[in-house]
Short mmCIF file of all heavy atoms in Angstrom, two decimals:
data_model
loop_
_atom_site.label_atom_id
_atom_site.label_comp_id
_atom_site.label_asym_id
_atom_site.label_seq_id
_atom_site.Cartn_x
_atom_site.Cartn_y
_atom_site.Cartn_z
N THR T 1 2.64 8.73 1.66
CA THR T 1 3.10 8.78 0.27
C THR T 1 2.21 7.95 -0.64
O THR T 1 1.87 8.37 -1.76
CB THR T 1 4.56 8.29 0.16
OG1 THR T 1 5.39 9.04 1.04
CG2 THR T 1 5.08 8.42 -1.26
N THR T 2 1.82 6.78 -0.16
CA THR T 2 0.95 5.90 -0.95
C THR T 2 -0.40 6.55 -1.22
O THR T 2 -0.92 6.50 -2.35
CB THR T 2 0.76 4.55 -0.22
OG1 THR T 2 2.03 3.93 -0.04
CG2 THR T 2 -0.15 3.63 -1.01
N ILE T 3 -0.98 7.16 -0.20
CA ILE T 3 -2.27 7.83 -0.37
C ILE T 3 -2.15 8.95 -1.40
O ILE T 3 -3.01 9.11 -2.29
CB ILE T 3 -2.77 8.37 0.99
CG1 ILE T 3 -3.16 7.20 1.91
CG2 ILE T 3 -3.95 9.32 0.79
CD1 ILE T 3 -3.50 7.61 3.33
N ARG T 4 -1.09 9.73 -1.29
CA ARG T 4 -0.90 10.84 -2.25
C ARG T 4 -0.75 10.32 -3.67
O ARG T 4 -1.39 10.83 -4.61
CB ARG T 4 0.33 11.66 -1.85
CG ARG T 4 0.67 12.78 -2.85
CD ARG T 4 1.80 13.64 -2.34
NE ARG T 4 3.04 12.91 -2.16
CZ ARG T 4 3.89 12.62 -3.16
NH1 ARG T 4 3.60 12.97 -4.40
NH2 ARG T 4 5.01 11.96 -2.91
N LEU T 5 0.09 9.30 -3.86
CA LEU T 5 0.31 8.76 -5.21
C LEU T 5 -0.96 8.13 -5.77
O LEU T 5 -1.25 8.24 -6.98
CB LEU T 5 1.44 7.72 -5.17
CG LEU T 5 2.85 8.25 -4.90
CD1 LEU T 5 3.84 7.10 -4.82
CD2 LEU T 5 3.28 9.23 -5.99
N ALA T 6 -1.72 7.46 -4.91
CA ALA T 6 -2.96 6.82 -5.37
C ALA T 6 -3.97 7.87 -5.84
O ALA T 6 -4.65 7.69 -6.87
CB ALA T 6 -3.55 5.98 -4.25
N LYS T 7 -4.09 8.98 -5.12
CA LYS T 7 -5.01 10.05 -5.52
C LYS T 7 -4.59 10.69 -6.84
O LYS T 7 -5.43 11.07 -7.66
CB LYS T 7 -5.08 11.11 -4.43
CG LYS T 7 -5.82 10.66 -3.17
CD LYS T 7 -5.85 11.76 -2.12
CE LYS T 7 -6.66 11.35 -0.90
NZ LYS T 7 -6.68 12.40 0.15
N GLU T 8 -3.27 10.79 -7.05
CA GLU T 8 -2.76 11.44 -8.26
C GLU T 8 -2.78 10.53 -9.48
O GLU T 8 -2.65 11.01 -10.61
CB GLU T 8 -1.32 11.91 -8.01
CG GLU T 8 -1.20 13.02 -6.96
CD GLU T 8 0.26 13.31 -6.61
OE1 GLU T 8 1.15 12.58 -7.12
OE2 GLU T 8 0.50 14.25 -5.84
N ASN T 9 -2.92 9.22 -9.27
CA ASN T 9 -2.80 8.27 -10.39
C ASN T 9 -3.93 7.25 -10.40
O ASN T 9 -3.72 6.06 -10.65
CB ASN T 9 -1.45 7.54 -10.31
CG ASN T 9 -0.26 8.48 -10.38
OD1 ASN T 9 0.17 8.86 -11.46
ND2 ASN T 9 0.27 8.85 -9.22
N LYS T 10 -5.15 7.71 -10.14
CA LYS T 10 -6.29 6.80 -10.06
C LYS T 10 -6.50 5.99 -11.33
O LYS T 10 -6.99 4.87 -11.30
CB LYS T 10 -7.56 7.60 -9.75
CG LYS T 10 -7.63 8.15 -8.34
CD LYS T 10 -8.96 8.84 -8.10
CE LYS T 10 -9.07 9.35 -6.67
NZ LYS T 10 -10.38 10.01 -6.42
N ASP T 11 -6.12 6.56 -12.45
CA ASP T 11 -6.39 5.90 -13.73
C ASP T 11 -5.59 4.62 -13.93
O ASP T 11 -6.01 3.75 -14.70
CB ASP T 11 -6.11 6.86 -14.88
CG ASP T 11 -4.68 7.37 -14.87
OD1 ASP T 11 -4.18 7.74 -13.78
OD2 ASP T 11 -4.04 7.40 -15.94
N ILE T 12 -4.46 4.46 -13.27
CA ILE T 12 -3.65 3.26 -13.49
C ILE T 12 -3.54 2.38 -12.24
O ILE T 12 -2.99 1.28 -12.32
CB ILE T 12 -2.22 3.61 -13.98
CG1 ILE T 12 -1.45 4.36 -12.89
CG2 ILE T 12 -2.26 4.38 -15.28
CD1 ILE T 12 0.04 4.36 -13.12
N ILE T 13 -4.03 2.84 -11.10
CA ILE T 13 -3.92 2.05 -9.87
C ILE T 13 -5.03 1.01 -9.84
O ILE T 13 -6.21 1.34 -9.72
CB ILE T 13 -4.01 2.94 -8.61
CG1 ILE T 13 -2.94 4.03 -8.64
CG2 ILE T 13 -3.86 2.07 -7.36
CD1 ILE T 13 -1.52 3.53 -8.64
N GLU T 14 -4.66 -0.24 -9.93
CA GLU T 14 -5.64 -1.32 -9.88
C GLU T 14 -6.02 -1.66 -8.45
O GLU T 14 -7.18 -1.97 -8.16
CB GLU T 14 -5.09 -2.56 -10.59
CG GLU T 14 -6.09 -3.69 -10.69
CD GLU T 14 -5.58 -4.84 -11.53
OE1 GLU T 14 -5.12 -4.59 -12.66
OE2 GLU T 14 -5.65 -5.98 -11.05
N THR T 15 -5.04 -1.63 -7.56
CA THR T 15 -5.29 -1.90 -6.15
C THR T 15 -4.18 -1.27 -5.32
O THR T 15 -3.06 -1.05 -5.83
CB THR T 15 -5.36 -3.42 -5.87
OG1 THR T 15 -5.73 -3.65 -4.51
CG2 THR T 15 -4.03 -4.08 -6.12
N VAL T 16 -4.47 -0.97 -4.07
CA VAL T 16 -3.47 -0.46 -3.13
C VAL T 16 -3.21 -1.55 -2.10
O VAL T 16 -4.16 -2.03 -1.45
CB VAL T 16 -3.94 0.83 -2.44
CG1 VAL T 16 -2.92 1.26 -1.38
CG2 VAL T 16 -4.15 1.94 -3.46
N VAL T 17 -1.96 -1.96 -1.96
CA VAL T 17 -1.58 -3.05 -1.05
C VAL T 17 -0.95 -2.44 0.20
O VAL T 17 0.18 -1.95 0.16
CB VAL T 17 -0.59 -4.02 -1.73
CG1 VAL T 17 -0.34 -5.22 -0.82
CG2 VAL T 17 -1.12 -4.46 -3.09
N VAL T 18 -1.69 -2.48 1.30
CA VAL T 18 -1.22 -1.89 2.56
C VAL T 18 -0.49 -2.95 3.36
O VAL T 18 -1.08 -3.73 4.12
CB VAL T 18 -2.39 -1.31 3.38
CG1 VAL T 18 -1.86 -0.61 4.64
CG2 VAL T 18 -3.20 -0.34 2.53
N GLY T 19 0.81 -3.03 3.18
CA GLY T 19 1.62 -3.99 3.92
C GLY T 19 1.86 -5.27 3.15
O GLY T 19 0.97 -5.76 2.44
N ASN T 20 3.06 -5.78 3.29
CA ASN T 20 3.44 -7.05 2.65
C ASN T 20 4.14 -7.94 3.68
O ASN T 20 5.22 -7.62 4.16
CB ASN T 20 4.39 -6.80 1.47
CG ASN T 20 4.80 -8.09 0.80
OD1 ASN T 20 4.01 -8.70 0.09
ND2 ASN T 20 6.05 -8.53 1.04
N GLU T 21 3.45 -9.03 4.06
CA GLU T 21 3.99 -10.02 4.99
C GLU T 21 4.45 -9.40 6.31
O GLU T 21 5.37 -9.87 6.95
CB GLU T 21 5.12 -10.81 4.33
CG GLU T 21 4.66 -11.61 3.13
CD GLU T 21 5.74 -12.49 2.51
OE1 GLU T 21 6.91 -12.38 2.93
OE2 GLU T 21 5.41 -13.30 1.62
N ALA T 22 3.78 -8.33 6.72
CA ALA T 22 4.12 -7.68 8.00
C ALA T 22 3.79 -8.58 9.18
O ALA T 22 4.48 -8.56 10.20
CB ALA T 22 3.38 -6.36 8.12
N LEU T 23 2.72 -9.38 9.07
CA LEU T 23 2.37 -10.31 10.13
C LEU T 23 3.35 -11.48 10.17
O LEU T 23 3.73 -11.94 11.26
CB LEU T 23 0.94 -10.83 9.92
CG LEU T 23 -0.17 -9.78 10.02
CD1 LEU T 23 -1.53 -10.40 9.68
CD2 LEU T 23 -0.21 -9.15 11.41
N LEU T 24 3.76 -11.95 9.02
CA LEU T 24 4.75 -13.01 8.95
C LEU T 24 6.04 -12.60 9.66
O LEU T 24 6.65 -13.39 10.39
CB LEU T 24 5.04 -13.37 7.49
CG LEU T 24 6.24 -14.28 7.22
CD1 LEU T 24 5.97 -15.68 7.77
CD2 LEU T 24 6.54 -14.35 5.73
N ARG T 25 6.46 -11.35 9.46
CA ARG T 25 7.70 -10.87 10.05
C ARG T 25 7.53 -10.43 11.51
O ARG T 25 8.50 -10.02 12.14
CB ARG T 25 8.24 -9.68 9.24
CG ARG T 25 8.63 -9.99 7.82
CD ARG T 25 9.38 -8.82 7.19
NE ARG T 25 8.64 -7.57 7.30
CZ ARG T 25 7.71 -7.16 6.45
NH1 ARG T 25 7.41 -7.92 5.40
NH2 ARG T 25 7.08 -6.02 6.61
N ASN T 26 6.29 -10.50 12.03
CA ASN T 26 6.02 -10.02 13.39
C ASN T 26 6.34 -8.53 13.55
O ASN T 26 6.69 -8.08 14.64
CB ASN T 26 6.81 -10.81 14.44
CG ASN T 26 6.26 -12.20 14.64
OD1 ASN T 26 5.09 -12.46 14.39
ND2 ASN T 26 7.11 -13.11 15.09
N ASP T 27 6.21 -7.77 12.47
CA ASP T 27 6.52 -6.34 12.53
C ASP T 27 5.42 -5.54 13.22
O ASP T 27 5.68 -4.53 13.87
CB ASP T 27 6.76 -5.78 11.12
CG ASP T 27 8.16 -6.05 10.63
OD1 ASP T 27 8.97 -6.59 11.41
OD2 ASP T 27 8.46 -5.71 9.48
N VAL T 28 4.18 -5.97 13.03
CA VAL T 28 3.04 -5.29 13.64
C VAL T 28 2.04 -6.33 14.12
O VAL T 28 2.08 -7.50 13.72
CB VAL T 28 2.34 -4.34 12.64
CG1 VAL T 28 3.26 -3.20 12.25
CG2 VAL T 28 1.86 -5.10 11.41
N SER T 29 1.13 -5.90 14.98
CA SER T 29 0.04 -6.78 15.42
C SER T 29 -1.10 -6.70 14.41
O SER T 29 -1.17 -5.78 13.58
CB SER T 29 -0.45 -6.37 16.80
OG SER T 29 -1.06 -5.08 16.74
N ALA T 30 -2.01 -7.65 14.50
CA ALA T 30 -3.16 -7.64 13.60
C ALA T 30 -4.00 -6.38 13.80
O ALA T 30 -4.51 -5.80 12.84
CB ALA T 30 -4.01 -8.90 13.83
#
């Protein structure tokens, strides 16, 4: 979904943030 939205809205997307504190929560490995 993020990839699709980013492609459709390049003019306003300043950055794409892939994951938020996922390492802190031990949700995924590095």
Side-chain angles (χ1 to χ4, degrees):
T1 304
T2 300
I3 290 172
R4 176 175 62 81
L5 291 177
K7 288 180 177 179
E8 294 172 354
N9 300 276
K10 288 184 178 181
D11 58 315
I12 65 162
I13 304 297
E14 185 173 309
T15 185
V16 175
V17 187
V18 184
N20 179 74
E21 298 184 352
L23 296 175
L24 169 67
R25 296 190 307 274
N26 287 335
D27 278 356
V28 295
S29 66

